[in-house]
Amino acid sequence: MSIHSFTLTRNAFGRLVLHAQDGATYEGVAPVRAFPISSPEQGIALVDADGHELAWIAQLADVSPAIRAMIEEELANRDFMPEIQRIRQVSSFYTPSTWTVETDRGPTTFVLKGEDDIRRLASPMLLVTDSHGIHFLIRDQHALDSGSRKILDRFL
């Protein structure tokens, strides 16, 4: 389905409804980013409740402002990923350890189960996963302050 062959609305419950050009209607549609960290504005699929792809949007800028706003709102609710800006302290340099960090959403504390929960993405990004499966992004590990880099280097 091309990006011009559908419209998107919200139903009375606030869920997205895709109206295809052939008259088919799909309720409970969810946008999913193909590359949420490296290219968040490109490659967005609209999938049904069973995860089947209904439409593909190569560039988010290609859709109308109204549809774009609905998609961005859904993605903001779905892709909760705080960005670590400073590592204040860790309880231990062995895992599991408790990390106290400052993020773009405020200070928080989480438990790192193992060194494998720090994954390297496209340089210089890192993805840290806490014991509850919440992902924290470090967009540029080299841009962190020296104290944060020193702590982080002990785990990498």
Side-chain angles (χ1 to χ4, degrees):
M1 182 181 305
S2 78
I3 62 170
H4 302 290
S5 62
F6 71 89
T7 58
L8 208 56
T9 59
R10 287 198 182 275
N11 66 13
F13 301 105
R15 300 177 73 192
L16 290 180
V17 180
L18 185 139
H19 306 276
Q21 192 173 28
D22 64 1
T25 300
Y26 303 91
E27 294 206 19
V29 173
V32 178
R33 288 182 168 124
F35 307 103
I37 297 170
S38 61
S39 300
E41 300 286 318
Q42 299 175 347
I44 296 171
L46 296 177
V47 299
D48 65 12
D50 295 325
H52 299 112
E53 184 177 310
L54 302 171
W56 177 257
I57 302 167
Q59 295 280 337
L60 194 54
D62 293 342
V63 297
S64 72
I67 290 176
R68 180 180 179 151
M70 284 188 274
I71 291 172
E72 287 177 334
E73 185 178 324
E74 287 293 314
L75 288 170
N77 291 332
R78 180 185 171 105
D79 296 342
F80 176 75
M81 187 180 309
E83 188 173 319
I84 294 174
Q85 297 173 328
R86 181 174 178 230
I87 303 169
R88 297 182 74 187
Q89 69 179 44
V90 293
S91 64
S92 166
F93 289 110
Y94 301 101
T95 55
S97 60
T98 302
W99 289 44
T100 303
V101 299
E102 293 178 16
T103 72
D104 60 338
R105 311 231 178 169
T108 191
T109 301
F110 62 85
V111 174
L112 183 74
K113 290 190 304 185
E115 289 88 1
D116 293 342
D117 291 328
I118 302 175
R119 292 189 356 219
R120 294 179 191 272
L121 302 175
S123 183
M125 291 189 283
L126 298 173
L127 188 65
V128 180
T129 306
D130 77 355
S131 61
H132 298 291
I134 296 174
H135 299 290
F136 294 86
L137 178 67
I138 297 177
R139 190 163 302 278
D140 184 355
Q141 63 177 318
H142 306 297
L144 294 173
D145 63 277
S146 63
S148 298
R149 285 195 315 264
K150 189 174 181 179
I151 291 171
L152 190 59
D153 286 345
R154 299 284 302 261
F155 288 90
L156 295 176

